[in-house]
Short mmCIF file of all heavy atoms in Angstrom, two decimals:
data_model
loop_
_atom_site.label_atom_id
_atom_site.label_comp_id
_atom_site.label_asym_id
_atom_site.label_seq_id
_atom_site.Cartn_x
_atom_site.Cartn_y
_atom_site.Cartn_z
N MET A 56 55.50 26.67 3.22
CA MET A 56 56.17 27.58 4.18
C MET A 56 57.37 28.20 3.50
O MET A 56 58.12 27.53 2.82
CB MET A 56 56.60 26.76 5.42
CG MET A 56 57.11 27.64 6.50
SD MET A 56 57.43 26.75 8.05
CE MET A 56 58.58 25.48 7.55
N LYS A 57 57.55 29.49 3.74
CA LYS A 57 58.65 30.21 3.12
C LYS A 57 60.01 29.83 3.76
O LYS A 57 60.07 29.57 4.93
CB LYS A 57 58.43 31.71 3.27
CG LYS A 57 58.43 32.45 1.94
CD LYS A 57 58.33 33.93 2.16
CE LYS A 57 59.48 34.72 1.58
NZ LYS A 57 60.80 34.27 1.76
N CYS A 58 61.01 29.81 2.91
CA CYS A 58 62.37 29.48 3.39
C CYS A 58 62.79 30.46 4.47
O CYS A 58 62.53 31.66 4.39
CB CYS A 58 63.31 29.52 2.22
SG CYS A 58 64.99 29.09 2.66
N SER A 59 63.50 29.95 5.48
CA SER A 59 63.92 30.78 6.59
C SER A 59 65.27 31.44 6.36
O SER A 59 65.72 32.24 7.18
CB SER A 59 63.98 29.92 7.88
OG SER A 59 64.96 28.94 7.76
N ILE A 60 65.90 31.11 5.24
CA ILE A 60 67.20 31.73 4.95
C ILE A 60 66.96 33.17 4.44
O ILE A 60 66.16 33.36 3.53
CB ILE A 60 67.98 30.90 3.89
CG1 ILE A 60 68.22 29.47 4.38
CG2 ILE A 60 69.28 31.58 3.54
CD1 ILE A 60 69.04 29.35 5.64
N GLU A 61 67.66 34.08 5.05
CA GLU A 61 67.46 35.48 4.70
C GLU A 61 67.76 35.73 3.21
O GLU A 61 68.79 35.33 2.71
CB GLU A 61 68.35 36.35 5.57
CG GLU A 61 67.76 37.75 5.77
CD GLU A 61 68.67 38.59 6.66
OE1 GLU A 61 69.17 38.09 7.67
OE2 GLU A 61 68.89 39.77 6.32
N GLY A 62 66.82 36.38 2.54
CA GLY A 62 67.03 36.72 1.13
C GLY A 62 66.63 35.63 0.16
O GLY A 62 66.61 35.85 -1.05
N CYS A 63 66.30 34.42 0.66
CA CYS A 63 65.90 33.34 -0.22
C CYS A 63 64.39 33.38 -0.43
O CYS A 63 63.63 33.54 0.54
CB CYS A 63 66.33 31.99 0.38
SG CYS A 63 65.82 30.59 -0.63
N LEU A 64 63.96 33.23 -1.65
CA LEU A 64 62.54 33.34 -1.96
C LEU A 64 61.88 31.97 -2.09
O LEU A 64 60.72 31.87 -2.49
CB LEU A 64 62.35 34.13 -3.25
CG LEU A 64 62.84 35.59 -3.22
CD1 LEU A 64 62.75 36.24 -4.59
CD2 LEU A 64 62.09 36.41 -2.17
N GLY A 65 62.62 30.91 -1.82
CA GLY A 65 62.09 29.54 -1.98
C GLY A 65 61.02 29.22 -0.95
O GLY A 65 60.87 29.89 0.06
N GLU A 66 60.27 28.18 -1.27
CA GLU A 66 59.26 27.64 -0.35
C GLU A 66 59.64 26.20 -0.04
O GLU A 66 59.94 25.44 -0.96
CB GLU A 66 57.89 27.63 -1.01
CG GLU A 66 57.35 28.99 -1.38
CD GLU A 66 56.15 29.38 -0.51
OE1 GLU A 66 55.56 28.47 0.10
OE2 GLU A 66 55.84 30.57 -0.43
N TYR A 67 59.59 25.84 1.22
CA TYR A 67 59.94 24.45 1.57
C TYR A 67 58.97 23.46 0.95
O TYR A 67 57.78 23.70 0.89
CB TYR A 67 59.93 24.28 3.10
CG TYR A 67 61.04 25.01 3.80
CD1 TYR A 67 60.79 26.12 4.57
CD2 TYR A 67 62.36 24.54 3.69
CE1 TYR A 67 61.81 26.78 5.21
CE2 TYR A 67 63.38 25.19 4.33
CZ TYR A 67 63.12 26.31 5.08
OH TYR A 67 64.13 26.99 5.72
N GLU A 68 59.53 22.36 0.48
CA GLU A 68 58.72 21.26 -0.05
C GLU A 68 59.05 20.02 0.75
O GLU A 68 60.20 19.82 1.12
CB GLU A 68 59.10 20.99 -1.52
CG GLU A 68 58.80 22.09 -2.45
CD GLU A 68 59.34 21.80 -3.85
OE1 GLU A 68 60.00 20.76 -4.04
OE2 GLU A 68 59.12 22.66 -4.74
N GLU A 69 58.02 19.17 0.94
CA GLU A 69 58.28 17.95 1.66
C GLU A 69 58.99 16.96 0.76
O GLU A 69 58.52 16.66 -0.34
CB GLU A 69 56.93 17.35 2.16
CG GLU A 69 57.19 16.44 3.35
CD GLU A 69 55.89 16.01 4.00
OE1 GLU A 69 55.04 16.88 4.28
OE2 GLU A 69 55.74 14.81 4.23
N ARG A 70 60.12 16.45 1.21
CA ARG A 70 60.91 15.51 0.43
C ARG A 70 61.47 14.46 1.39
O ARG A 70 61.52 14.66 2.60
CB ARG A 70 62.15 16.21 -0.19
CG ARG A 70 61.78 17.35 -1.12
CD ARG A 70 62.28 17.04 -2.51
NE ARG A 70 62.07 18.22 -3.37
CZ ARG A 70 63.07 19.01 -3.77
NH1 ARG A 70 64.31 18.75 -3.42
NH2 ARG A 70 62.84 20.05 -4.52
N LYS A 71 61.90 13.37 0.79
CA LYS A 71 62.63 12.36 1.54
C LYS A 71 64.13 12.60 1.27
O LYS A 71 64.54 12.66 0.12
CB LYS A 71 62.24 10.95 1.09
CG LYS A 71 60.77 10.60 1.40
CD LYS A 71 60.61 10.23 2.85
CE LYS A 71 59.31 9.45 3.11
NZ LYS A 71 58.11 10.22 2.83
N ILE A 72 64.89 12.71 2.32
CA ILE A 72 66.31 13.02 2.15
C ILE A 72 67.16 11.90 2.74
O ILE A 72 66.70 11.05 3.49
CB ILE A 72 66.69 14.36 2.81
CG1 ILE A 72 66.48 14.29 4.33
CG2 ILE A 72 65.90 15.48 2.18
CD1 ILE A 72 67.16 15.42 5.07
N ILE A 73 68.45 11.95 2.37
CA ILE A 73 69.43 11.10 3.04
C ILE A 73 70.06 11.97 4.13
O ILE A 73 70.66 13.00 3.85
CB ILE A 73 70.50 10.62 2.05
CG1 ILE A 73 69.82 9.72 0.98
CG2 ILE A 73 71.62 9.87 2.76
CD1 ILE A 73 70.79 9.24 -0.08
N HIS A 74 69.89 11.54 5.37
CA HIS A 74 70.34 12.33 6.49
C HIS A 74 71.58 11.67 7.08
O HIS A 74 71.60 10.48 7.31
CB HIS A 74 69.23 12.40 7.54
CG HIS A 74 69.56 13.27 8.72
ND1 HIS A 74 69.78 14.60 8.61
CD2 HIS A 74 69.73 12.96 10.04
CE1 HIS A 74 70.07 15.10 9.81
NE2 HIS A 74 70.04 14.13 10.70
N THR A 75 72.61 12.47 7.28
CA THR A 75 73.87 11.96 7.81
C THR A 75 74.13 12.55 9.18
O THR A 75 74.00 13.76 9.34
CB THR A 75 75.03 12.33 6.87
OG1 THR A 75 74.70 11.94 5.53
CG2 THR A 75 76.31 11.63 7.26
N VAL A 76 74.44 11.71 10.15
CA VAL A 76 74.75 12.20 11.48
C VAL A 76 76.00 11.51 11.97
O VAL A 76 76.34 10.41 11.54
CB VAL A 76 73.62 11.94 12.50
CG1 VAL A 76 72.45 12.86 12.27
CG2 VAL A 76 73.19 10.50 12.51
N ARG A 77 76.72 12.17 12.88
CA ARG A 77 77.85 11.53 13.53
C ARG A 77 77.38 11.08 14.91
O ARG A 77 76.85 11.89 15.68
CB ARG A 77 79.02 12.52 13.64
CG ARG A 77 80.30 11.86 14.02
CD ARG A 77 81.43 12.86 13.92
NE ARG A 77 81.92 13.03 12.56
CZ ARG A 77 82.84 12.25 12.00
NH1 ARG A 77 83.37 11.25 12.67
NH2 ARG A 77 83.26 12.48 10.77
N HIS A 78 77.53 9.79 15.18
CA HIS A 78 77.01 9.23 16.42
C HIS A 78 78.11 8.38 17.04
O HIS A 78 78.57 7.42 16.43
CB HIS A 78 75.75 8.38 16.10
CG HIS A 78 75.16 7.70 17.29
ND1 HIS A 78 74.56 8.39 18.30
CD2 HIS A 78 75.11 6.40 17.62
CE1 HIS A 78 74.13 7.54 19.20
NE2 HIS A 78 74.45 6.32 18.84
N GLN A 79 78.53 8.77 18.22
CA GLN A 79 79.62 8.05 18.95
C GLN A 79 80.83 7.82 18.06
O GLN A 79 81.37 6.72 17.98
CB GLN A 79 79.08 6.73 19.51
CG GLN A 79 78.00 6.95 20.55
CD GLN A 79 77.38 5.69 21.10
OE1 GLN A 79 77.68 4.61 20.59
NE2 GLN A 79 76.54 5.81 22.09
N GLY A 80 81.21 8.88 17.30
CA GLY A 80 82.41 8.81 16.47
C GLY A 80 82.23 8.14 15.14
O GLY A 80 83.14 8.10 14.33
N GLN A 81 81.03 7.58 14.90
CA GLN A 81 80.77 6.92 13.63
C GLN A 81 79.85 7.77 12.78
O GLN A 81 78.98 8.47 13.29
CB GLN A 81 80.08 5.57 13.88
CG GLN A 81 81.02 4.49 14.30
CD GLN A 81 80.35 3.15 14.19
OE1 GLN A 81 79.31 2.94 14.79
NE2 GLN A 81 80.93 2.23 13.45
N VAL A 82 80.03 7.68 11.47
CA VAL A 82 79.12 8.36 10.57
C VAL A 82 77.95 7.48 10.26
O VAL A 82 78.13 6.32 9.85
CB VAL A 82 79.85 8.75 9.25
CG1 VAL A 82 78.87 9.43 8.28
CG2 VAL A 82 81.02 9.66 9.54
N ILE A 83 76.77 7.94 10.55
CA ILE A 83 75.55 7.15 10.32
C ILE A 83 74.76 7.83 9.21
O ILE A 83 74.55 9.05 9.23
CB ILE A 83 74.68 7.12 11.60
CG1 ILE A 83 75.51 6.75 12.82
CG2 ILE A 83 73.46 6.24 11.40
CD1 ILE A 83 75.77 5.29 13.00
N VAL A 84 74.32 7.03 8.26
CA VAL A 84 73.53 7.55 7.14
C VAL A 84 72.15 6.93 7.22
O VAL A 84 71.98 5.71 7.33
CB VAL A 84 74.18 7.16 5.78
CG1 VAL A 84 73.37 7.77 4.63
CG2 VAL A 84 75.62 7.66 5.73
N ILE A 85 71.13 7.79 7.19
CA ILE A 85 69.74 7.32 7.28
C ILE A 85 69.02 7.78 6.02
O ILE A 85 68.98 8.98 5.72
CB ILE A 85 69.06 7.85 8.53
CG1 ILE A 85 69.89 7.54 9.77
CG2 ILE A 85 67.65 7.26 8.67
CD1 ILE A 85 69.44 8.31 11.01
N ASP A 86 68.49 6.82 5.28
CA ASP A 86 67.82 7.12 4.02
C ASP A 86 66.32 7.33 4.25
O ASP A 86 65.76 6.86 5.24
CB ASP A 86 68.04 5.96 3.05
CG ASP A 86 67.90 6.41 1.60
OD1 ASP A 86 67.62 7.58 1.36
OD2 ASP A 86 68.11 5.54 0.70
N HIS A 87 65.69 8.04 3.34
CA HIS A 87 64.24 8.26 3.33
C HIS A 87 63.75 9.00 4.60
O HIS A 87 62.70 8.65 5.14
CB HIS A 87 63.49 6.93 3.18
CG HIS A 87 63.90 6.14 1.97
ND1 HIS A 87 64.40 4.86 2.03
CD2 HIS A 87 63.93 6.50 0.67
CE1 HIS A 87 64.70 4.44 0.81
NE2 HIS A 87 64.42 5.41 -0.04
N VAL A 88 64.51 9.97 5.02
CA VAL A 88 64.07 10.78 6.18
C VAL A 88 63.19 11.90 5.65
O VAL A 88 63.60 12.66 4.76
CB VAL A 88 65.30 11.36 6.93
CG1 VAL A 88 64.85 12.28 8.06
CG2 VAL A 88 66.19 10.25 7.44
N PRO A 89 61.98 12.03 6.19
CA PRO A 89 61.11 13.12 5.74
C PRO A 89 61.63 14.47 6.24
O PRO A 89 62.00 14.61 7.40
CB PRO A 89 59.75 12.79 6.40
CG PRO A 89 60.07 11.94 7.58
CD PRO A 89 61.35 11.20 7.25
N ALA A 90 61.68 15.44 5.32
CA ALA A 90 62.19 16.75 5.70
C ALA A 90 61.54 17.81 4.81
O ALA A 90 61.02 17.46 3.75
CB ALA A 90 63.72 16.79 5.53
N GLU A 91 61.62 19.04 5.26
CA GLU A 91 61.20 20.17 4.45
C GLU A 91 62.47 20.68 3.78
O GLU A 91 63.43 21.03 4.46
CB GLU A 91 60.57 21.26 5.31
CG GLU A 91 59.37 20.84 6.11
CD GLU A 91 58.11 20.67 5.25
OE1 GLU A 91 57.95 21.45 4.31
OE2 GLU A 91 57.35 19.74 5.51
N VAL A 92 62.48 20.71 2.43
CA VAL A 92 63.67 21.11 1.71
C VAL A 92 63.36 22.30 0.85
O VAL A 92 62.36 22.32 0.12
CB VAL A 92 64.18 19.94 0.81
CG1 VAL A 92 65.44 20.37 0.06
CG2 VAL A 92 64.45 18.70 1.64
N CYS A 93 64.20 23.34 0.90
CA CYS A 93 64.06 24.49 0.03
C CYS A 93 64.70 24.15 -1.30
O CYS A 93 65.91 23.86 -1.34
CB CYS A 93 64.71 25.72 0.65
SG CYS A 93 64.70 27.11 -0.48
N PRO A 94 63.94 24.20 -2.42
CA PRO A 94 64.52 23.83 -3.73
C PRO A 94 65.48 24.90 -4.24
O PRO A 94 66.24 24.65 -5.16
CB PRO A 94 63.27 23.69 -4.63
CG PRO A 94 62.22 24.50 -3.97
CD PRO A 94 62.51 24.53 -2.50
N VAL A 95 65.44 26.07 -3.66
CA VAL A 95 66.29 27.18 -4.15
C VAL A 95 67.69 27.11 -3.51
O VAL A 95 68.69 27.06 -4.20
CB VAL A 95 65.64 28.55 -3.88
CG1 VAL A 95 66.55 29.68 -4.31
CG2 VAL A 95 64.28 28.63 -4.61
N CYS A 96 67.73 27.10 -2.18
CA CYS A 96 69.05 27.15 -1.52
C CYS A 96 69.43 25.80 -0.90
O CYS A 96 70.57 25.64 -0.45
CB CYS A 96 69.06 28.25 -0.45
SG CYS A 96 68.06 27.84 0.98
N GLY A 97 68.50 24.85 -0.88
CA GLY A 97 68.84 23.52 -0.34
C GLY A 97 68.76 23.41 1.18
O GLY A 97 69.15 22.41 1.73
N ASP A 98 68.25 24.44 1.83
CA ASP A 98 68.12 24.39 3.28
C ASP A 98 67.15 23.25 3.65
O ASP A 98 66.17 23.01 2.95
CB ASP A 98 67.58 25.72 3.82
CG ASP A 98 67.65 25.78 5.33
OD1 ASP A 98 68.70 25.39 5.89
OD2 ASP A 98 66.68 26.25 5.97
N ARG A 99 67.45 22.58 4.76
CA ARG A 99 66.61 21.45 5.17
C ARG A 99 66.12 21.67 6.60
O ARG A 99 66.87 22.13 7.46
CB ARG A 99 67.45 20.17 5.20
CG ARG A 99 67.98 19.79 3.85
CD ARG A 99 69.12 18.83 4.04
NE ARG A 99 69.31 18.04 2.83
CZ ARG A 99 69.96 16.86 2.80
NH1 ARG A 99 70.47 16.37 3.89
NH2 ARG A 99 70.08 16.23 1.65
N LEU A 100 64.87 21.31 6.82
CA LEU A 100 64.32 21.37 8.18
C LEU A 100 63.80 19.98 8.55
O LEU A 100 63.05 19.36 7.77
CB LEU A 100 63.13 22.33 8.24
CG LEU A 100 63.37 23.82 8.03
CD1 LEU A 100 62.03 24.55 8.11
CD2 LEU A 100 64.32 24.38 9.05
N LEU A 101 64.18 19.52 9.70
CA LEU A 101 63.60 18.28 10.25
C LEU A 101 62.67 18.68 11.37
O LEU A 101 63.03 19.51 12.20
CB LEU A 101 64.69 17.37 10.79
CG LEU A 101 65.75 16.87 9.84
CD1 LEU A 101 66.69 15.92 10.57
CD2 LEU A 101 65.13 16.18 8.64
N ASN A 102 61.49 18.12 11.39
CA ASN A 102 60.59 18.48 12.51
C ASN A 102 61.04 17.76 13.78
O ASN A 102 61.76 16.75 13.70
CB ASN A 102 59.12 18.32 12.13
CG ASN A 102 58.70 16.87 12.06
OD1 ASN A 102 59.10 16.05 12.86
ND2 ASN A 102 57.82 16.57 11.11
N PRO A 103 60.64 18.28 14.94
CA PRO A 103 61.13 17.72 16.22
C PRO A 103 60.80 16.24 16.38
O PRO A 103 61.61 15.48 16.95
CB PRO A 103 60.41 18.57 17.27
CG PRO A 103 60.05 19.82 16.57
CD PRO A 103 59.81 19.47 15.16
N GLU A 104 59.65 15.83 15.84
CA GLU A 104 59.28 14.41 15.92
C GLU A 104 60.27 13.55 15.13
O GLU A 104 60.65 12.45 15.56
CB GLU A 104 57.84 14.25 15.42
CG GLU A 104 57.38 12.84 15.21
CD GLU A 104 57.26 12.04 16.51
OE1 GLU A 104 57.30 12.63 17.61
OE2 GLU A 104 57.08 10.81 16.43
N THR A 105 60.67 14.02 13.96
CA THR A 105 61.62 13.30 13.13
C THR A 105 62.98 13.19 13.84
O THR A 105 63.60 12.12 13.85
CB THR A 105 61.78 13.99 11.79
OG1 THR A 105 60.50 14.09 11.14
CG2 THR A 105 62.72 13.22 10.85
N VAL A 106 63.40 14.28 14.44
CA VAL A 106 64.68 14.28 15.16
C VAL A 106 64.64 13.27 16.31
O VAL A 106 65.57 12.50 16.54
CB VAL A 106 64.98 15.70 15.70
CG1 VAL A 106 66.22 15.70 16.63
CG2 VAL A 106 65.21 16.66 14.53
N ARG A 107 63.50 13.25 17.00
CA ARG A 107 63.35 12.32 18.13
C ARG A 107 63.39 10.87 17.63
O ARG A 107 64.03 9.99 18.22
CB ARG A 107 62.02 12.58 18.85
CG ARG A 107 62.00 12.11 20.29
CD ARG A 107 60.61 12.29 20.92
NE ARG A 107 59.57 11.56 20.17
CZ ARG A 107 59.37 10.25 20.29
NH1 ARG A 107 60.09 9.53 21.10
NH2 ARG A 107 58.42 9.67 19.57
N ARG A 108 62.71 10.62 16.49
CA ARG A 108 62.71 9.27 15.95
C ARG A 108 64.10 8.84 15.52
O ARG A 108 64.47 7.67 15.67
CB ARG A 108 61.76 9.16 14.75
CG ARG A 108 60.32 8.99 15.20
CD ARG A 108 59.42 8.61 14.05
NE ARG A 108 59.81 7.38 13.39
CZ ARG A 108 59.13 6.78 12.44
NH1 ARG A 108 58.02 7.34 12.00
NH2 ARG A 108 59.53 5.67 11.90
N ILE A 109 64.90 9.77 15.01
CA ILE A 109 66.25 9.43 14.61
C ILE A 109 67.07 9.08 15.84
O ILE A 109 67.86 8.14 15.85
CB ILE A 109 66.89 10.63 13.84
CG1 ILE A 109 66.27 10.72 12.45
CG2 ILE A 109 68.41 10.47 13.73
CD1 ILE A 109 66.62 11.96 11.67
N GLU A 110 66.87 9.84 16.92
CA GLU A 110 67.61 9.54 18.16
C GLU A 110 67.25 8.14 18.69
O GLU A 110 68.13 7.40 19.10
CB GLU A 110 67.30 10.61 19.23
CG GLU A 110 68.15 11.85 19.00
CD GLU A 110 67.66 13.06 19.77
OE1 GLU A 110 66.79 12.88 20.64
OE2 GLU A 110 68.18 14.16 19.50
N VAL A 111 65.97 7.80 18.62
CA VAL A 111 65.55 6.47 19.05
C VAL A 111 66.16 5.41 18.15
O VAL A 111 66.66 4.38 18.62
CB VAL A 111 63.97 6.39 19.05
CG1 VAL A 111 63.53 4.93 19.24
CG2 VAL A 111 63.40 7.28 20.11
N LEU A 112 66.15 5.67 16.86
CA LEU A 112 66.72 4.75 15.89
C LEU A 112 68.19 4.47 16.20
O LEU A 112 68.66 3.33 16.19
CB LEU A 112 66.55 5.30 14.46
CG LEU A 112 67.03 4.46 13.33
CD1 LEU A 112 66.09 3.30 13.08
CD2 LEU A 112 67.16 5.28 12.05
N LEU A 113 68.92 5.54 16.48
CA LEU A 113 70.34 5.43 16.78
C LEU A 113 70.58 4.60 18.05
O LEU A 113 71.57 3.86 18.15
CB LEU A 113 70.99 6.80 16.93
CG LEU A 113 71.10 7.64 15.65
CD1 LEU A 113 71.63 9.02 15.97
CD2 LEU A 113 71.99 6.96 14.62
N GLN A 114 69.68 4.74 19.01
CA GLN A 114 69.84 4.01 20.28
C GLN A 114 69.48 2.55 20.11
O GLN A 114 70.03 1.68 20.80
CB GLN A 114 68.91 4.60 21.37
CG GLN A 114 69.15 6.06 21.69
CD GLN A 114 70.59 6.38 22.11
OE1 GLN A 114 71.21 5.57 22.77
NE2 GLN A 114 71.08 7.50 21.70
N THR A 115 68.52 2.24 19.22
CA THR A 115 67.94 0.91 19.22
C THR A 115 68.32 0.04 18.03
O THR A 115 68.16 -1.18 18.11
CB THR A 115 66.39 1.01 19.26
OG1 THR A 115 65.96 1.73 18.13
CG2 THR A 115 65.92 1.69 20.52
N ALA A 116 68.82 0.65 16.93
CA ALA A 116 69.10 -0.17 15.76
C ALA A 116 70.46 -0.81 15.87
O ALA A 116 71.49 -0.14 15.72
CB ALA A 116 69.04 0.72 14.50
N PRO A 117 70.54 -2.09 16.20
CA PRO A 117 71.85 -2.73 16.37
C PRO A 117 72.53 -3.06 15.06
O PRO A 117 73.74 -3.11 15.00
CB PRO A 117 71.49 -4.03 17.12
CG PRO A 117 70.08 -4.30 16.77
CD PRO A 117 69.42 -3.01 16.40
N HIS A 118 71.77 -3.27 13.99
CA HIS A 118 72.35 -3.62 12.70
C HIS A 118 71.80 -2.69 11.62
O HIS A 118 70.59 -2.55 11.51
CB HIS A 118 72.02 -5.07 12.32
CG HIS A 118 72.54 -6.03 13.32
ND1 HIS A 118 73.90 -6.24 13.54
CD2 HIS A 118 71.91 -6.84 14.20
CE1 HIS A 118 74.04 -7.15 14.48
NE2 HIS A 118 72.85 -7.53 14.90
N PRO A 119 72.70 -2.12 10.83
CA PRO A 119 72.21 -1.28 9.73
C PRO A 119 71.53 -2.13 8.66
O PRO A 119 71.82 -3.31 8.49
CB PRO A 119 73.47 -0.63 9.18
CG PRO A 119 74.60 -1.49 9.62
CD PRO A 119 74.14 -2.18 10.88
N ALA A 120 70.60 -1.51 7.92
CA ALA A 120 69.90 -2.19 6.84
C ALA A 120 70.86 -2.47 5.68
O ALA A 120 70.70 -3.39 4.91
CB ALA A 120 68.72 -1.37 6.36
N SER A 121 71.86 -1.62 5.57
CA SER A 121 72.81 -1.71 4.45
C SER A 121 74.06 -0.96 4.83
O SER A 121 74.07 -0.17 5.76
CB SER A 121 72.16 -1.10 3.22
OG SER A 121 73.10 -1.02 2.17
N LYS A 122 75.17 -1.22 4.11
CA LYS A 122 76.39 -0.49 4.37
C LYS A 122 76.74 0.36 3.15
O LYS A 122 76.50 -0.05 2.04
CB LYS A 122 77.54 -1.47 4.64
CG LYS A 122 77.35 -2.23 5.95
CD LYS A 122 78.55 -3.09 6.27
CE LYS A 122 78.31 -3.85 7.56
NZ LYS A 122 79.46 -4.64 7.95
N VAL A 123 77.26 1.54 3.44
CA VAL A 123 77.67 2.41 2.34
C VAL A 123 79.15 2.66 2.42
O VAL A 123 79.73 2.70 3.51
CB VAL A 123 76.91 3.78 2.40
CG1 VAL A 123 75.43 3.59 2.17
CG2 VAL A 123 77.19 4.52 3.68
N PRO A 124 79.81 2.83 1.26
CA PRO A 124 81.22 3.18 1.28
C PRO A 124 81.40 4.59 1.82
O PRO A 124 80.59 5.50 1.51
CB PRO A 124 81.68 3.09 -0.16
CG PRO A 124 80.45 2.89 -0.98
CD PRO A 124 79.29 2.71 -0.09
N LEU A 125 82.40 4.82 2.59
CA LEU A 125 82.67 6.15 3.15
C LEU A 125 84.04 6.62 2.65
O LEU A 125 85.03 5.92 2.80
CB LEU A 125 82.66 6.07 4.68
CG LEU A 125 83.06 7.38 5.40
CD1 LEU A 125 82.01 8.44 5.19
CD2 LEU A 125 83.25 7.11 6.89
N TYR A 126 84.07 7.80 2.06
CA TYR A 126 85.30 8.34 1.50
C TYR A 126 85.69 9.61 2.28
O TYR A 126 84.81 10.40 2.66
CB TYR A 126 85.12 8.72 0.04
CG TYR A 126 84.77 7.53 -0.83
CD1 TYR A 126 83.45 7.22 -1.12
CD2 TYR A 126 85.78 6.70 -1.36
CE1 TYR A 126 83.13 6.15 -1.89
CE2 TYR A 126 85.45 5.62 -2.14
CZ TYR A 126 84.11 5.34 -2.41
OH TYR A 126 83.81 4.27 -3.19
N GLU A 127 86.96 9.80 2.44
CA GLU A 127 87.47 11.04 3.03
C GLU A 127 87.80 12.01 1.92
O GLU A 127 88.42 11.63 0.93
CB GLU A 127 88.74 10.75 3.88
CG GLU A 127 88.52 9.86 5.06
CD GLU A 127 87.94 10.62 6.27
OE1 GLU A 127 87.75 11.85 6.17
OE2 GLU A 127 87.70 9.96 7.29
N TYR A 128 87.43 13.25 2.10
CA TYR A 128 87.74 14.27 1.07
C TYR A 128 89.23 14.54 1.02
O TYR A 128 89.79 14.74 -0.04
CB TYR A 128 86.98 15.56 1.39
CG TYR A 128 87.27 16.70 0.44
CD1 TYR A 128 86.84 16.64 -0.86
CD2 TYR A 128 87.99 17.78 0.87
CE1 TYR A 128 87.11 17.67 -1.74
CE2 TYR A 128 88.28 18.84 0.00
CZ TYR A 128 87.83 18.76 -1.32
OH TYR A 128 88.10 19.78 -2.18
N ALA A 129 89.87 14.53 2.16
CA ALA A 129 91.31 14.83 2.19
C ALA A 129 92.00 13.85 3.14
O ALA A 129 91.37 13.31 4.04
CB ALA A 129 91.54 16.25 2.64
ZN1 ZN B 418 65.90 28.74 0.59
#
């Protein structure tokens, strides 16, 4: 599928990404999320089913599989 960013000639490729969301004031990082990624501009698309699964995961996962260090840019 062609990239949806205007002027970009890339084609989306299926990749596993690290997806970061803010949930109830906390930064949540989810690894190995399937997404369509444009190799040219880096645009990412999550399909509606994936978004729904992430929402369920956020509601139901009481303990993270791992912890990551979080740094503030400024
Ligand atoms: Zn693109």
Side-chain angles (χ1 to χ4, degrees):
M56 188 172 58
K57 236 184 122 316
C58 182
S59 64
I60 301 298
E61 208 180 316
C63 179
L64 299 174
E66 297 249 343
Y67 290 109
E68 295 173 357
E69 202 171 311
R70 301 241 188 106
K71 295 281 199 296
I72 63 165
I73 296 177
H74 184 64
T75 309
V76 286
R77 192 173 280 274
H78 178 69
Q79 296 177 354
Q81 281 193 304
V82 178
I83 311 279
V84 183
I85 308 166
D86 203 359
H87 305 122
V88 176
E91 301 286 324
V92 180
C93 173
V95 177
C96 71
D98 190 44
R99 298 161 158 200
L100 294 179
L101 298 183
N102 73 38
E104 170 67 11
T105 303
V106 172
R107 202 185 59 79
R108 278 193 59 176
I109 288 170
E110 280 166 10
V111 170
L112 182 74
L113 291 175
Q114 301 304 324
T115 59
H118 300 292
S121 172
K122 292 185 180 182
V123 295
L125 175 68
Y126 299 94
E127 295 280 358
Y128 178 69

